[in-house]
């Protein structure tokens, strides 16, 4: 994995949520090098500003981490789960005709599996660009039904998204409600998670569980389809952390 300098602060704006993954090929004519499309994917081009995707995959299977914020990778989208604001884009190096190196396809599947586990998504949320944008052909020649089945097997082999250390964290987190004090480390964690999920009204990580925090918690609960009682407990922490219970 190569972290492209500045990736943590790169994006059109904050990524509102991650509800899907869109697979692309770069379609650039470069025939040499591992990922000659990096500059275009990072910076965009006339008429379409960058970044154009969150991740790139080189011919060698190397994964390039390009952006953390919203990217211009799929618009207009035919799926509400796969808009620019709600999905992660992956641009794999290919001119749209060349055979796919096995090592590159392996990295493609593994990256999708890890992202699905991280964000609590089923493999069915992994879509080809052509499946969620009727004017696009990419990624060429990849059978997406087979690709998703491979992603699902990788996810199963690695454990479910609620297993391991993430599950242990959820088990140990306390109940929180309005009035909890600013010096409570779990309140600080809660505020940080709300800020990360595009609730700027929280203002900062430091501070108590106040009325603004409760309003944001209720919004997250409604989005996660749990009781919107404003109390953070065993049903709400997993929504904030994007893991299944």
């Amino acid at each position: 994995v190569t972290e492209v300098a500045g990736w943590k602060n790169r994006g059109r704006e904050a990524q509102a949520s991650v509800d899907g993954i869109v697979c692309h090929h770069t379609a650039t004519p470069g025939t040499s090098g591992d990922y000659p499309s990096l500059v275009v994917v990072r910076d965009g081009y006339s008429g379409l500003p960058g970044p154009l995707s969150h991740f790139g995959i080189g011919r060698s299977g190397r994964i390039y981490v390009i952006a953390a914020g919203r990217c211009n990778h799929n618009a207009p989208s035919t799926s509400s789960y796969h808009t620019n604001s709600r999905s992660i884009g992956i641009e794999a190096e290919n001119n749209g005709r060349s055979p796919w190196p096995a090592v590159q396809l392996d990295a493609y599947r593994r990256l999708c599996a890890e992202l699905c586990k991280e964000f609590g998504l089923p493999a069915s949320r992994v879509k080809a660009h052509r499946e969620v944008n009727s004017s696009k052909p990419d990624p060429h020649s990849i059978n997406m039904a087979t690709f998703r089945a491979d992603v699902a097997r990788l996810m199963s082999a690695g454990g479910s998204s609620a297993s391991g250390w993430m599950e242990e964290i959820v088990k140990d987190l306390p109940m929180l409600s309005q009035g909890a004090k600013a010096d409570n480390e779990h309140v600080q964690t809660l505020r940080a998670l709300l800020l990360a999920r595009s609730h700027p009204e929280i203002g900062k990580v430091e501070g108590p569980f106040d009325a603004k925090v409760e309003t944001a918690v209720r919004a997250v609960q409604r989005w996660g389809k749990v009781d919107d009682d404003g109390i953070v407990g065993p049903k709400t922490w997993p929504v904030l952390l994007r893991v299944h219970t």
Side-chain angles (χ1 to χ4, degrees), residues 177-199:
S177 59
Q178 187 174 165
K181 296 181 178 179
D183 60 358
N184 184 323
E185 64 176 319
H186 298 296
V187 173
Q188 294 178 18
T189 298
L190 169 62
R191 292 175 70 97
L193 288 169
L194 291 169
L195 282 168
R197 276 140 189 79
S198 300
H199 289 278

Side-chain angles (χ1 to χ4, degrees), residues 21-30 34-38 40-41 45 48 52-59 66 72-74 88-101 104-105 108 111-112 126-133 135-144 147:
I21 297 168
V22 183
C23 299
H24 306 256
H25 67 233
T26 57
T28 45
D34 186 50
Y35 198 65
S37 302
L38 176 58
V40 173
V41 175
Y45 54 86
L48 187 63
L52 305 184
S53 214
H54 300 82
F55 295 92
I57 304 180
R59 295 183 174 104
I66 298 169
N72 286 333
H73 70 95
N74 182 41
I88 284 179
I90 305 172
E91 286 276 3
E93 188 67 45
N94 194 287
N95 61 12
R97 302 179 303 277
S98 298
W100 292 94
Q104 187 180 26
L105 285 178
Y108 217 156
L111 176 57
C112 288
V126 177
K127 297 291 188 181
H129 197 193
R130 63 179 182 269
E131 294 180 297
V132 290
N133 189 317
S135 66
K136 301 297 182 179
D138 54 319
H140 89 92
S141 73
I142 294 179
N143 183 310
M144 290 306 295
F147 187 92

Side-chain angles (χ1 to χ4, degrees), residues 63-105:
I63 294 168
Y64 295 81
V65 186
I66 298 169
R70 182 175 65 82
C71 298
N72 286 333
H73 70 95
N74 182 41
S77 176
T78 59
S79 164
S80 61
Y81 293 127
H82 297 84
T83 62
N84 287 335
S85 296
R86 296 183 66 182
S87 65
I88 284 179
I90 305 172
E91 286 276 3
E93 188 67 45
N94 194 287
N95 61 12
R97 302 179 303 277
S98 298
W100 292 94
V103 67
Q104 187 180 26
L105 285 178

Side-chain angles (χ1 to χ4, degrees), residues 182-245:
D183 60 358
N184 184 323
E185 64 176 319
H186 298 296
V187 173
Q188 294 178 18
T189 298
L190 169 62
R191 292 175 70 97
L193 288 169
L194 291 169
L195 282 168
R197 276 140 189 79
S198 300
H199 289 278
E201 70 275 11
I202 301 304
K204 57 184 180 178
V205 172
E206 297 79 12
F209 192 138
D210 56 16
K212 288 184 178 180
V213 171
E214 182 174 309
T215 297
V217 167
R218 290 180 186 273
V220 168
Q221 289 173 326
R222 289 192 293 272
W223 175 81
K225 296 181 173 57
V226 299
D227 291 341
D228 60 337
D229 55 8
I231 298 172
V232 180
K235 296 294 185 182
T236 303
W237 281 116
V239 176
L240 286 161
L241 292 165
R242 299 185 187 279
V243 296
H244 292 311
T245 56

